[in-house]
Amino acid sequence: MTNRQLGIRLALLLLIVAAPILPFTLLWPGVVGVALFGVLVAVFAWISGGARVAIPVTVALALLGILGIVCRDHTWLLALILLLLGIGYGVAASRGIGSAVLQLPILVPYFMMRPPPLFTDGPAEVTPLYLLAVGVIVVLAGLWTVLVLRKAMGRRALKVVDVADPRAAIVHGTVLGVLSAIVVTIAQTSVTNLHWVWVTLTLYLLANPTGPVNAKKMLYRVLGTFAGFVVVGVLLLTGLPHLILVSLAVVSLWACLFFYVAKRPYWQYVVFLTITVVLMDSSDASTVVLDAERIGFTVLGALLAIGSSFVVNLLMFRRRHALADEA
């Protein structure tokens, strides 16, 4: 299949996925934004392991998202959830399937920081009906996405990558969980309305628990992430309506999938993944303070990701060196 054929097929698939979702926006505001969470997690989980992986991961996002909303006023519970997500990601990465669950520690914090608007154009009113609707929409959007991918692309086997040191992957994931827990604790107990999710987003986008630190690849990941934030910043400054920005997130998702499936350089994929995820949370008006916060938290997330990678690799290198000396 040529790149042109691949791009056309992916575009058609996304149009088919979006077709039954978009009309509901006319009835209930916010449906597209919530459904996009299910679409995004289902797409990347399906790429990593087909329907058998995508379905449980989608359900997990719905349940964890609801849990994050319910616990949003209990900082220690949010910190515990993020810690466990980091450990879980590390365990999955140690088995070579980290990419299948990567969207969970990236997307769950968005539910914690601010419940996605639904049934209203303003802040969400969290009621039992709202929580049920969020879960149902995420799951149904994810299942529909999996069904379309399954019919159009056929079966897909679980993709397992080689892991240089499984123990290091678990340690790295745990460190990411600890850092995420610290970030949410500081954000929840200091200044309200901080967009701390940009720290955790950058942290996980740049992390690579499955192998040793590669300075060149890390540089490309950092540049790709920053490029994505720059593009989003420019789009938000134009004052485009939220619905258009969410629609652009779908276009960005198409580009993200194309670069991923076509096996282009990782930084190109990261650019559009960053744009997609951030545009999903574009309901805030762009201001100088917000843009500065976005840039600052991105820099902080990049520094934490780079620092944690080098520290974990240094510790594990010393451990392997000590074991070699004992042998």
Side-chain angles (χ1 to χ4, degrees), residues 2-307:
T2 65
N3 286 338
R4 181 178 180 180
Q5 291 172 330
L6 175 62
I8 294 174
R9 172 173 286 194
L10 290 176
L12 291 175
L13 288 178
L14 287 179
L15 286 174
I16 295 173
V17 168
I21 298 175
L22 292 176
F24 285 100
T25 303
L26 301 175
L27 299 175
W28 301 300
V31 170
V32 173
V34 176
L36 198 53
F37 282 101
V39 173
L40 189 63
V41 74
V43 164
F44 288 102
W46 183 86
I47 290 175
S48 299
R52 291 185 178 181
V53 173
I55 292 175
V57 171
T58 300
V59 173
L61 177 65
L63 295 176
L64 289 170
I66 292 173
L67 182 61
I69 295 172
V70 172
C71 299
R72 67 191 184 284
D73 294 326
H74 303 280
T75 302
W76 71 273
L77 286 175
L78 298 183
L80 178 61
I81 294 170
L82 292 183
L83 173 61
L84 294 176
L85 280 173
I87 295 174
Y89 174 60
V91 172
S94 71
R95 299 178 179 178
I97 56 173
S99 60
V101 299
L102 176 59
Q103 299 302 317
L104 293 180
I106 287 179
L107 297 180
V108 169
Y110 281 88
F111 292 87
M112 297 176 172
M113 184 190 73
R114 183 181 59 242
L118 184 62
F119 305 136
T120 176
D121 292 322
E125 298 180 7
V126 179
T127 63
L129 177 61
Y130 166 85
L131 295 174
L132 177 63
V134 167
V136 169
I137 291 172
V138 170
V139 171
L140 289 181
L143 292 178
W144 170 242
T145 302
V146 172
L147 177 62
V148 172
L149 290 171
R150 172 69 177 81
K151 293 297 183 181
M153 307 292 285
R155 294 182 179 275
R156 192 172 181 88
L158 180 62
K159 182 180 179 181
V160 181
V161 300
D162 294 330
V163 181
D165 187 344
R167 186 184 295 269
I170 296 175
V171 172
H172 198 162
T174 303
V175 170
L176 295 177
V178 170
L179 291 175
S180 299
I182 293 174
V183 168
V184 71
T185 300
I186 294 175
Q188 291 284 106
T189 57
S190 56
V191 182
T192 58
N193 298 323
L194 283 178
H195 290 72
W196 55 270
V197 291
W198 287 321
V199 180
T200 54
L201 167 64
T202 308
L203 188 63
Y204 278 96
L205 282 179
L206 299 182
N208 181 28
T210 59
V213 171
N214 184 307
K216 185 177 180 180
K217 288 184 178 181
M218 179 62 75
L219 176 61
Y220 285 162
R221 289 176 181 225
V222 172
L223 293 178
T225 302
F226 274 99
F229 275 106
V230 169
V231 172
V232 171
V234 172
L235 289 173
L236 294 179
L237 286 174
T238 61
L240 293 172
H242 177 61
L243 182 59
I244 293 180
L245 292 175
V246 173
S247 300
L248 289 176
V250 177
V251 177
S252 179
L253 176 59
W254 168 82
C256 180
L257 286 174
F258 175 79
F259 285 116
Y260 188 92
V261 177
K263 298 182 179 180
R264 296 293 184 88
Y266 184 82
W267 70 268
Q268 297 177 3
Y269 155 76
V270 168
V271 169
F272 290 101
L273 179 58
T274 303
I275 294 173
T276 303
V277 175
V278 178
L279 283 180
M280 288 169 56
D281 183 52
S282 59
S283 56
D284 288 335
S286 182
T287 64
V288 175
V289 174
L290 185 59
D291 291 337
E293 187 180 329
R294 181 182 296 113
I295 294 173
F297 282 165
T298 303
V299 172
L300 176 60
L303 292 176
L304 290 175
I306 294 172

